[in-house]
């Protein structure tokens, strides 16, 4: 992508999207960054305070599942690139209400593809649709092995099924219409601004309030953790250097069993909070397992390193410490997002949500 471009980020008020918007707006003053987000429970404009008044940034409240709204945006703006993150993203919620995941993650993606294709007809060579996906589409690993870009898809939760389906539609547009696409499949992100339904902020929040720390099953499930700003730098590199039609896996080279991670968080928190050694570990509680709980995710991120020169920069030690510190220093943020006060504000501001 060249300079002076209009880049549409979808889901830019969520965890990863807000870090991405801040980075793009500040690093590329020549770009116009448009953030399209429906402000679901996971979207929080407070996350975007550092850029809310920036001249090269526009926020639009809109629903990707509404084709009319998406078409209107593409009629109004000459969009050059899309980085598509908007999604329902929590596996546990997908087990409860799979249809919402199909609507946003599949139909929403299709609406964006249709609108971009119509608007970009005749100029595909100057455009890019970058779809941000997850390693969960590859399914579940045993004790060994890594997900590669050519690992067959085997999604096992409604969430990962919806993400897999959206990946297939994006690739289908490339093969069928020559539509310009990029896809990345990333492992578990962590860092500031993550909604406290996900393991790491949930555990930190519960430690703070001396509540039980729920570990699903026996705690031996493994995730590969990547600091969110490393994901942002990978997306930046892929957008600018990625080869049209290609998929890149992004990972942290940082596999951990859930129980080991929760114990580590307990220890960092106790240290930071001046609590006795071992105090929080006493509240670890093994609870009923997540249905269909994928055993292990692990990424081979060799392709993006070889071809685009990207690898994670943040060590686990620094990343987890920074993350814990951020939540401890931002307890008001935690309080607001868990109380739903920010949802009430949006309802008042936008009339509905
Ligand atoms: P998130 O849940 O924090 O944020 C999602 C954002 O999308 C929210 O701001 C929400 O308001 C918005 N959104 C939801 N439905 C919408 C709709 N219908 N129209 C417009 N906006 C809508 O998610 P996240 O963790 O930041 O993940 C972002 C993307 O990255 C997702 O596509 C996810 O699948 C992918 N991903 C996440 C991780 C991770 O560990 N969090 C890892 C790999 C890939
Ligand atoms: O309370 C909990 N206890 C627990 O043991 C929660 C919320 C989770 N877990 C386990 C389940 C997982 O093995 O911890 C692990 C991480 O869980 P989540 O934070 O819910 O993440 P996960 O299901 O692995 O999915 C995440 O990474 C990939 C994101 O939510 C997805 O959007 C992303 O695609």
């Amino acid at each position: 992508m060249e300079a002076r471009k209009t880049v549409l980020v979808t889901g830019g008020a969520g965890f990863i999207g807000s870090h991405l918007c801040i980075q793009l707006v500040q690093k590329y003053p020549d770009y116009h960054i448009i953030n399209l987000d429906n402000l679901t429970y996971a979207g929080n404009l407070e996350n975007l305070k550092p850029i809310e008044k920036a001249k090269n940034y526009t926020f639009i409240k809109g629903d990707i599942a509404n084709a009319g709204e998406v078409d209107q945006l593409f009629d109004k703006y000459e969009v050059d690139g899309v980085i598509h993150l908007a999604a329902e993203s929590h596996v546990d919620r997908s087990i409860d209400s799979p249809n919402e995941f199909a609507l946003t993650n599949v139909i929403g993606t299709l609406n964006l593809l249709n609108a971009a294709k119509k608007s970009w007809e005749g100029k595909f060579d100057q455009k890019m649709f970058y779809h941000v996906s997850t390693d969960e589409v590859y399914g579940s690993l045993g004790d060994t092995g890594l997900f590669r870009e050519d690992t067959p898809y085997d999604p096992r939760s409604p969430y990962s099924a919806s993400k897999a389906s959206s990946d297939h539609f994006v690739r289908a547009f490339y093969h069928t219409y020559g539509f310009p696409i990029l896809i990345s499949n990333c492992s578990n992100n962590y860092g500031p601004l993550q909604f406290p339904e996900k393991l790491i902020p949930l555990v930190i929040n519960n430690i703070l309030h001396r509540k039980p720390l729920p570990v699903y099953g026996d705690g031996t499930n493994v995730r590969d953790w990547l600091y969110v700003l490393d994901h942002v730098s990978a997306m930046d590199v892929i957008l600018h250097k990625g080869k049209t039609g290609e998929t890149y896996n992004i990972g942290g080279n940082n596999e951990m069993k859930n129980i080991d991670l929760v114990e580590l968080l307990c220890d960092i928190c106790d240290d930071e909070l001046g609590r006795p050694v071992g105090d929080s570990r006493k509240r670890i509680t093994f609870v009923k397992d997540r249905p269909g709980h994928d055993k292990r995710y692990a990424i081979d991120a060799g392709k993006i390193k070889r071809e685009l020169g990207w690898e994670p920069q943040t060590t686990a030690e620094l990343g987890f410490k920074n993350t814990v510190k951020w939540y401890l220093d931002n307890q008001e943020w935690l309080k607001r997002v868990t109380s739903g006060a920010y949802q009430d504000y949006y309802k008042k501001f936008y009339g509905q949500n």
Side-chain angles (χ1 to χ4, degrees):
M1 286 225 341
E2 295 155 29
R4 300 192 186 286
K5 295 288 186 186
T6 296
V7 177
L8 171 66
V9 175
T10 70
F15 164 48
I16 301 171
S18 52
H19 287 286
L20 177 70
C21 284
I22 292 168
Q23 168 82 356
L24 293 177
V25 166
Q26 293 179 342
K27 185 170 170 189
Y28 301 106
D30 281 351
Y31 288 11
H32 177 201
I33 307 299
I34 301 174
N35 173 8
L36 172 67
D37 196 296
N38 201 27
L39 300 179
T40 68
Y41 78 94
N44 186 357
L45 288 181
E46 189 184 340
N47 298 350
L48 294 152
K49 275 246 174 299
I51 53 166
E52 68 184 1
K53 295 200 171 76
K55 286 199 182 68
N56 62 334
Y57 172 70
T58 305
F59 174 75
I60 297 172
K61 185 180 184 306
D63 184 356
I64 59 166
N66 181 324
E69 285 182 23
V70 176
D71 286 344
Q72 254 178 27
L73 191 150
F74 277 85
D75 286 345
K76 183 166 174 190
Y77 296 98
E78 176 70 39
V79 173
D80 298 295
V82 176
I83 311 182
H84 174 36
L85 294 100
E88 288 294 339
S89 70
H90 190 40
V91 174
D92 293 332
R93 286 179 191 257
S94 81
I95 294 167
D96 253 11
S97 33
N99 289 41
E100 281 172 35
F101 283 68
L103 192 59
T104 289
N105 300 0
V106 185
I107 301 299
T109 300
L110 199 45
N111 287 339
L112 284 162
L113 288 166
N114 283 327
K117 177 173 163 284
K118 196 169 88 191
S119 160
W120 295 351
E121 211 61 76
K123 23 186 185 180
F124 283 178
D125 56 331
Q126 301 152 47
K127 308 290 185 181
M128 185 52 70
F129 188 101
Y130 173 11
H131 176 60
V132 176
S133 191
T134 172
D135 59 356
E136 301 198 12
V137 298
Y138 299 121
S140 180
L141 290 165
D143 290 338
T144 57
L146 299 170
F147 294 137
R148 295 158 40 103
E149 285 78 0
D150 57 4
T151 300
Y153 274 32
D154 183 22
R156 296 150 50 99
S157 75
Y159 164 69
S160 53
S162 68
K163 290 297 289 187
S165 171
S166 63
D167 292 9
H168 290 323
F169 272 110
V170 173
R171 275 194 198 99
F173 268 56
Y174 171 67
H175 291 295
T176 309
Y177 309 113
F179 182 79
I181 65 118
L182 288 162
I183 297 179
S184 60
N185 295 82
C186 187
S187 63
N188 286 56
N189 284 214
Y190 71 95
L193 302 176
Q194 188 169 30
F195 195 81
E197 63 185 353
K198 308 279 164 67
L199 180 67
I200 291 182
L202 180 141
V203 163
I204 298 171
N205 195 35
N206 286 13
I207 289 173
L208 263 170
H209 296 96
R210 293 191 156 85
K211 285 190 187 162
L213 310 176
V215 173
Y216 297 163
D218 63 2
T220 58
N221 299 66
V222 172
R223 297 293 182 266
D224 171 9
W225 294 95
L226 177 72
Y227 193 61
V228 62
L229 291 181
D230 280 328
H231 189 187
V232 166
S233 74
M235 289 188 281
D236 187 352
V237 168
I238 290 169
L239 178 72
H240 289 96
K241 295 201 206 154
K243 193 165 158 250
T244 305
E246 292 289 314
T247 294
Y248 299 92
N249 279 356
I250 307 170
N253 303 322
N254 181 27
E255 284 183 56
M256 287 183 85
K257 284 192 183 126
N258 291 339
I259 184 63
D260 295 337
L261 172 58
V262 171
E263 287 181 351
L264 175 68
L265 295 172
C266 287
D267 296 346
I268 303 176
C269 283
D270 285 348
D271 186 43
E272 291 290 330
L273 292 164
R275 292 184 186 171
V277 175
D279 186 53
S280 296
R281 284 187 184 214
K282 286 189 287 197
R283 277 181 287 280
I284 292 176
T285 311
F286 292 94
V287 298
K288 190 170 164 286
D289 209 356
R290 170 185 281 172
H293 195 176
D294 289 338
K295 186 68 185 172
R296 175 171 165 261
Y297 304 143
I299 285 273
D300 176 348
K303 177 178 174 182
I304 185 172
K305 183 175 174 187
R306 273 189 317 275
E307 296 186 9
L308 306 182
W310 177 90
E311 58 185 329
Q313 297 299 314
T314 313
T315 61
E317 199 190 347
L318 192 70
F320 288 127
K321 210 167 167 116
N322 277 350
T323 301
V324 167
K325 277 185 144 167
W326 187 85
Y327 288 98
L328 298 185
D329 289 346
N330 289 275
Q331 293 182 36
E332 284 305 313
W333 181 93
L334 269 174
K335 234 183 251 169
R336 277 195 293 277
V337 302
T338 46
S339 75
Y342 81 111
Q343 288 283 319
D344 295 342
Y345 166 77
Y346 291 147
K347 263 184 212 140
K348 236 191 321 190
F349 196 76
Y350 289 104
Q352 51 151 15
N353 196 6

